[in-house]
Amino acid sequence: MKKTALQIIEFGNLPEDQFYCLINLNISPDGMNIEKLRLTDPRNFDLQFRESGCLLMLTEDEIEELIRRKEIDRDSIHESLYKLARQEGVI
């Protein structure tokens, strides 16, 4: 877990423009470069996220649903997402 971080990325002002990303710090020690991602060709967006160390990316609605189902804890989202990613075989 120490090699990951939770980064909240906003691409606009609406709730659906906010993403919760579990980041591999071995690839992006300072988190993902949002300005670089904004310049990415939309056809290569997913690839750029993976290459930037994004292990898991969820919308705010998805986060709220996971909290509602008690699969993650609102007070420890980073730790909860890390555990979920391990359970699902992402890491």
Side-chain angles (χ1 to χ4, degrees), residues 34-69:
I34 304 308
E35 294 309 313
K36 181 180 175 185
L37 289 172
R38 289 180 199 271
L39 300 174
T40 299
D41 181 338
R43 295 172 293 188
N44 298 326
F45 202 66
D46 289 343
L47 176 62
Q48 186 61 47
F49 264 80
R50 283 191 301 276
E51 288 178 354
S52 296
C54 184
L55 300 167
L56 190 65
M57 181 172 77
L58 301 168
T59 65
E60 187 170 351
D61 288 341
E62 291 168 325
I63 291 290
E64 290 301 324
E65 178 63 20
L66 290 170
I67 290 170
R68 187 188 68 72
R69 294 190 304 193

